[in-house]
Amino acid sequence: MIDRYARPEMAAIWSDESRFRTLLDIEICAAEAMAELGAIPNSAATAIRRLQDETPDIGRIREIEAVTRHETLAFLEYLAELSGDDRVRHLHRGMTSSDVLDTCFNLQLSRSAGLILDSLDQLLRELRRRAFECRDMLCIGRSHGVHAEPTTLGLKLAQHHAEFSRGKRRIECARDEVATGAISGPVGTFATVEPEVEAIVCRRLGLRPEPASTQIVPRDRHAQFFCSMAVVASSAERLAVEIRNLQRTEILEVEENFAAGQKGSSAMPHKRNPILSENVTGLARIVRAAAMPALENVVLWHERDMSHSSVERIIAPDATTAFDFLISRLAEIVGNMTVHPDNMARNLALLKGVHNSHRVLDALVTSGLDRSEAYSIVQGRAMQAIDRRQDYRLVLAEDPVVTGQLSAAELDALFDDRFYTRHVETIFRRVFGEGD
């Protein structure tokens, strides 16, 4: 439903042709397993295997489905019609629709997760590269949107790298969670198909047998998959919002790349808008929106019902496509964004040193002053400096209590911003490893 965002590899996973080919692969694997176990003739498995060379005729399948009102039966009738070989009657022996549908769905999710992990690797590479590039680039940190204490742009990016490293592990776990298959027959009892068939099929497809299916693969697995994407999409939006805020005209510390010939506004030619980051924010909402219906799909009637199916046909291609695209787009943004260190220095100096209030407070307490009294003095002088736009160091030097506790040299030392980068290297080693 959001094909414009899909890269070809992702679009192919969710295409009708790919889906029916995967369904056929599962049927072929099952037939060959049954032949191996003596449940159907070897000649039947050979006849079924020949169907692999044919390109599914989606139009014909839909024509049959319009009559059967059952997609799997329409597909089986189509294959029998296509083959013309009576031995193909052994296709789907002892199986139920969910055996092939759920195993196919899990393969699709696993394959889409593989593409998403590639995109996450790309984002992590760009975050690492830019983090080291900007490791010691001082900028003001903000809490509640208000100037706090200095940090570095590299440290900001390293923090996001750490978060996306966790996100990658979440997606890896989610892929592992859905990498199961079920060929267990109606209500999952194996009454009409031997467990060995499921074991052989799953081994050939790179899946694990579902330990206890209820005719379907339990949907708690899929809920974890979609919830994991939702969490990482929120991490992506957090970085996108940071970039959007840092690109505000009043701040302008970083900026999305603005390509030659690009236009920012139909009415205002001067505009350079953070449209790519805004795009990431919007798509993150789509990915998160898939988590709730995935959770609701866990609750089905008895051994199964069909309420989950229609939901998954929408949320699976949409969420995986949107997620893969937004991660790739974010990697592009980070890799190409323009950094403005002069504006960082300007913003750092904007409040004329009040970001050192914490250091002054600690120094006064260390010198022997009561903390409550020290806080009152440091805060009062900071408010004066902000309101009157005065230099905080000079304002403090006018306070007799401060000068009675701290020498001029000690006070000067409290305004050396190199203090705030003392442990950046330690944090980088924690994030990127000792060798880096």
Side-chain angles (χ1 to χ4, degrees), residues 228-247:
S228 296
M229 287 199 299
V231 171
V232 185
S234 292
S235 296
E237 184 178 4
R238 187 173 84 84
L239 176 51
V241 168
E242 177 71 10
I243 293 169
R244 289 168 60 191
N245 270 315
L246 293 178
Q247 187 167 335

Side-chain angles (χ1 to χ4, degrees), residues 123 125-131 157 239 243 329-339:
L123 174 57
R125 285 192 298 271
E126 293 296 348
L127 282 168
R128 182 189 183 281
R129 180 177 67 83
R130 299 308 297 268
L157 295 173
L239 176 51
I243 293 169
R329 171 144 288 184
L330 194 54
E332 173 192 348
I333 295 167
V334 172
N336 296 324
M337 69 182 180
T338 302
V339 175

Side-chain angles (χ1 to χ4, degrees), residues 206-273:
L207 302 173
R208 302 185 312 280
E210 182 63 42
S213 63
T214 64
Q215 183 168 336
I216 65 166
V217 172
R219 258 43 192 182
D220 62 293
R221 295 186 181 277
H222 306 83
Q224 178 177 333
F225 188 94
F226 287 97
C227 287
S228 296
M229 287 199 299
V231 171
V232 185
S234 292
S235 296
E237 184 178 4
R238 187 173 84 84
L239 176 51
V241 168
E242 177 71 10
I243 293 169
R244 289 168 60 191
N245 270 315
L246 293 178
Q247 187 167 335
R248 291 165 57 196
T249 304
E250 297 82 2
I251 298 175
L252 201 58
E253 294 180 354
V254 302
E255 187 175 15
E256 287 182 8
N257 179 56
F258 198 77
Q262 184 175 339
K263 304 294 188 292
S265 167
S266 63
M268 296 168 283
H270 71 278
K271 296 291 293 295
R272 294 201 302 245
N273 300 325

Side-chain angles (χ1 to χ4, degrees), residues 46 81 84 90 130 150 186-187 215 259 281 295 327 338 343 407 415:
T46 300
E81 177 185 281
H90 293 284
R130 299 308 297 268
V187 302
Q215 183 168 336
T281 294
L295 289 167
I327 295 295
T338 302
N343 289 343
S407 69
F415 284 77

Side-chain angles (χ1 to χ4, degrees), residues 277-338:
S277 299
E278 291 170 348
N279 185 233
V280 169
T281 294
L283 290 174
R285 297 169 185 166
I286 297 295
V287 178
R288 285 196 298 270
M292 184 54 71
L295 289 167
E296 291 174 340
N297 277 354
V298 175
V299 185
L300 303 175
W301 285 19
H302 303 298
E303 279 60 54
R304 67 155 299 184
D305 63 44
M306 279 282 287
S307 60
H308 64 284
S309 177
S310 56
V311 175
E312 290 166 350
R313 290 189 184 222
I314 295 172
I315 67 171
D318 280 10
T320 55
T321 297
F323 187 47
D324 179 58
F325 181 86
L326 74 86
I327 295 295
S328 295
R329 171 144 288 184
L330 194 54
E332 173 192 348
I333 295 167
V334 172
N336 296 324
M337 69 182 180
T338 302

Side-chain angles (χ1 to χ4, degrees), residues 136-166:
D136 301 314
M137 197 174 290
L138 268 174
C139 60
I140 191 66
R142 298 170 176 89
S143 56
H144 306 276
V146 176
H147 282 207
E149 291 186 358
T151 182
T152 75
L153 181 59
L155 187 53
K156 282 176 176 277
L157 295 173
Q159 290 161 348
H160 285 285
H161 187 284
E163 185 168 344
F164 279 108
S165 294
R166 296 192 295 274

